Amino acid sequence: MTQRIANKVPEEKDSRLLFPRLAVLISGRGTNLQAIIDAVATRRLDATIAVVISDRVDAVGLQRARAAGIEAVHVSPRAHADRDAYDRAIVDVLAAHAVGLVCLAGYMRLVGRPLLDAFPERILNIHPSLLPSFRGLDAQRQALDHGVRITGATVHLVTSDLDDGPIVLQAAVPVLDDDTVDTLSSRILIEEHRIYPDAIARVLAGGWSIEGRRFVSSGPRS
Ligand code: GRF
């Protein structure tokens, strides 16, 4: 089943996606989704958002997608026996929409083998820290608690290890003496919204390869 679906993923040449149809996977408010929607609308990002998928029916991001005229789908984890079955259901939706690149944006589930195998090096995630520091939940609180003076945001390719894939783009954010989790998160979020569309554009543009764990791009760096 997964193999059949994998074959439906658009073919590529020279690592450039010929068919830049995106899916955005969310679980919550969807401000990064909104940044991607806005970047597509203003042609800063030359792509189509084919579908938005949420594991939570009440995700505000589903409303953002529908307001932008984008198909928005809730896929309930409870309707599937286990994580692999859930991921296969996600792959079915992605295949039905001829998606070429998957963007996780506040998607609060681990990505399993069925999804990784159907989209090798074609799943991006955004994380609110300078990876590899502060993986997992509450990255902004982890940064504050650790006492770092600089944190930030990272867009990376997704692998089977949490918050660990090759890094496409990062942005640094200073930690201020009077920062709270909320104030720090707000400033990081501004950078997230800036770098996520740029990272997607960079991946779609092709001309990159993975060397070891490095994302090596021949294009300009920002
Ligand atoms: C962002 O901070 C993102 O880095 C993290 O989850 C948050 C999602 O926010 N993975 P939003 O739903 O995009 O507003």
Side-chain angles (χ1 to χ4, degrees):
M1 178 107 166
T2 304
Q3 186 59 44
R4 177 181 64 75
I5 290 160
N7 288 340
K8 285 190 185 173
V9 173
E11 292 185 0
E12 300 154 34
K13 187 181 173 192
D14 300 335
S15 83
R16 172 185 283 268
L17 288 170
L18 298 177
F19 201 35
R21 290 173 63 81
L22 311 179
V24 185
L25 271 55
I26 61 166
S27 299
R29 64 189 172 181
T31 67
N32 278 287
L33 164 66
Q34 189 67 55
I36 298 166
I37 291 172
D38 294 347
V40 169
T42 58
R43 304 300 302 266
R44 188 174 138 219
L45 183 56
D46 187 14
T48 298
I49 304 175
V51 64
V52 171
I53 304 173
S54 173
D55 62 328
R56 296 187 52 132
V57 69
D58 58 351
V60 173
L62 289 173
Q63 296 165 31
R64 292 180 186 270
R66 290 178 187 130
I70 299 165
E71 186 169 348
V73 181
H74 167 234
V75 182
S76 172
R78 269 182 272 171
H80 298 87
D82 54 27
R83 202 177 88 184
D84 278 3
Y86 183 79
D87 275 8
R88 280 195 294 272
I90 297 286
V91 172
D92 281 344
V93 176
L94 299 173
H97 290 81
V99 165
L101 182 68
V102 179
C103 305
L104 311 184
Y107 180 64
M108 300 301 287
R109 294 177 62 84
L110 292 173
V111 172
R113 266 302 23 126
L115 192 43
L116 289 166
D117 289 346
F119 289 86
E121 295 179 355
R122 289 293 178 272
I123 307 176
L124 286 171
N125 182 45
I126 184 142
H127 185 77
S129 75
L130 289 178
L131 291 173
S133 291
F134 313 129
R135 295 182 172 112
L137 294 175
D138 296 326
Q140 302 94 331
R141 176 172 294 287
Q142 290 185 56
L144 275 180
D145 288 350
H146 195 93
V148 295
R149 310 309 307 195
I150 297 174
T151 183
T154 302
V155 180
H156 64 95
L157 290 169
V158 173
T159 61
S160 54
D161 295 317
L162 180 67
D163 299 329
D164 192 54
I167 291 167
V168 180
L169 277 181
Q170 291 186 302
V173 174
V175 180
L176 307 180
D177 287 341
D178 58 354
D179 259 334
T180 63
V181 171
D182 283 349
T183 59
L184 181 58
S185 299
S186 300
R187 292 203 315 286
I188 293 173
L189 204 55
I190 292 168
E191 294 304 307
E192 293 185 39
H193 297 165
R194 184 176 67 79
I195 67 171
Y196 209 176
D198 287 351
I200 295 167
R202 180 159 297 184
V203 169
L204 292 178
W208 53 269
S209 59
I210 304 299
E211 294 177 15
R213 52 165 301 122
R214 296 177 61 220
F215 178 94
V216 180
S217 172
S218 53
R221 296 212 163 267
S222 65

